[in-house]
Amino acid sequence: MPKRRIFGNRQPNASSTNGSETDEKNRDLGFGTSISAKNRRLINQDGSFNIRRVGQRIQDIHPFQFLVTISWWEFALCVLVAYLLFNTVFAFLYLMAGVEQLSGGEDLITWLDRFMYAFFFSVQTFTTVGYGTVSPVGLSVNIIAAFEAMTGLLGFAVATGVLMGRFSQPSAKIGFSDQILIAPYTHAEEGAINSLQFRIVNRRINQLIDLEVMVVMRYYNKVNGKEKQDFRQLNLERDKVKLFPLTWTIVHPITQDSPLHGCTSEELAYKHTEFLITLKGYDETFAQHVHARMSYRYDEMIWGAKFVKVFHEMEEGPIELQVDKVSLCEKAELNAY
């Protein structure tokens, strides 16, 4: 087997200063170096970290943060469960106090009928609807109903605040190309070389400005007989744009200083290489910064391809951007090293 090169040992030329010192100081990224699950990506394609937390205590969970960050179907399920649970608890309290203290409840015979009668009275009280068909007539039931009405008002106030927090939470909907490409590229100093490329587009109609991107290559090296993961921040053709109205193809020129120079697909697979991408931009709608994350693995690379333009200039009217074709590419001849 041919000797494998160690990416982290390649030293940049003295003329290469863009990110080299920062790269040495910030090689970890917070993932550490001792993770040994090579086939497991660090960042999922939806931007979440591929990490499951265990051993948390109840007091570690912040209710508002939990309800704002879970998915919409999980949030709807939590609201439904809480709604049914509260009304069930108060229905049992009415049963304990005596359902005959509710107008019309004295004629009910079966336990199920009495429970359903108390449950729907609880719903009317909890939501402060009060149709008027059922009313409390006893002291104990009136006390329970008064307490439930207060609980209902507070509960709906909290639910409204959480719902508003979910709707007003700023987030970026960045569309990433399905694959990352090794494409031909013309460098200002080195001429015809190759490059690492992927493309992004804003899938929403909001305006993002001051967009910044960072690409870090994660791979495995054998150090003192043990395999450890390492990180190298890749120098980009452009890592910032002021405006983001169309697509943006992020390019890493594979120069002699690049850790990808001379690499083959087999070598990247042997090192279980993953490219970690972080994006930060300013959303004019929310007047806040938004973030997006993505990663590509070595088996999600296309060698010898280039992206196809997905916006068209019409004779009249605005430029037409085909957002759903951000991954469209075609074959291209790579340059020889």
Side-chain angles (χ1 to χ4, degrees), residues 27-52 216-220 229-231 272-277 293-297:
R27 295 169 72 98
D28 191 337
L29 292 185
F31 291 104
T33 61
S34 59
I35 296 178
S36 59
K38 298 180 181 179
N39 295 324
R40 200 170 292 148
R41 66 195 317 149
L42 295 181
I43 297 179
N44 297 317
Q45 290 186 313
D46 62 358
S48 62
F49 296 120
N50 192 18
I51 295 173
R52 183 182 62 177
V216 175
M217 187 177 76
R218 168 241 192 178
Y219 56 94
Y220 281 84
Q229 65 178 358
D230 205 348
F231 300 88
H272 295 272
T273 309
E274 180 182 4
F275 299 94
L276 311 176
I277 296 129
R293 293 179 294 270
M294 175 63 170
S295 78
Y296 296 98
R297 288 175 17 124

Side-chain angles (χ1 to χ4, degrees), residues 11 42 45 53 108 150 192 196 208 223 263 319 330 335:
Q11 298 297 328
L42 295 181
Q45 290 186 313
R53 299 179 183 273
L108 301 174
M150 181 186 68
L196 182 77
L208 296 178
V223 180
C263 290
I319 298 175
E330 62 183 11
N335 295 311

Side-chain angles (χ1 to χ4, degrees), residues 13-32:
N13 295 337
S15 59
S16 177
T17 59
N18 183 15
S20 60
E21 294 182 1
T22 304
D23 179 43
E24 292 299 324
K25 294 179 180 179
N26 302 284
R27 295 169 72 98
D28 191 337
L29 292 185
F31 291 104

